[in-house]
Amino acid sequence: MIYALEHLTIQGPKHSQRRQWKQYAFCANKALLERIRLKQPHPEEWRVRLSVQQSKKKAA
């Protein structure tokens, strides 16, 4: 399985902000990505999840 390290980004003016997850890294080692996430300045703005591309391949 491949995991993605993602960061929550906020775009647009304050009255019409759009939140979006941007992918920064892919890795088969989820624990490694979790360690990287926890060392970021605001770890609550980061997440590790199963890669969407990997999930789609399994479903096909």
Side-chain angles (χ1 to χ4, degrees):
M1 288 192 226
I2 301 295
Y3 295 92
L5 176 65
E6 301 177 336
H7 183 247
L8 181 61
T9 60
I10 300 173
Q11 300 174 339
K14 193 169 189 169
H15 65 276
S16 62
Q17 289 181 342
R18 189 176 82 150
R19 295 171 183 248
Q20 177 178 352
W21 290 98
K22 182 176 179 185
Q23 295 179 338
Y24 277 83
F26 294 97
C27 184
N29 187 339
K30 184 178 181 181
L32 174 62
L33 292 177
E34 284 290 350
R35 287 198 315 260
I36 293 169
R37 180 187 72 84
L38 291 172
K39 292 186 179 192
Q40 299 305 308
H42 297 281
E44 67 278 2
E45 296 176 358
W46 294 81
R47 70 181 181 184
V48 175
R49 57 180 282 192
L50 190 60
S51 172
V52 173
Q53 292 85 4
Q54 182 69 19
S55 297
K56 286 183 180 176
K57 287 180 185 176
K58 277 190 163 184

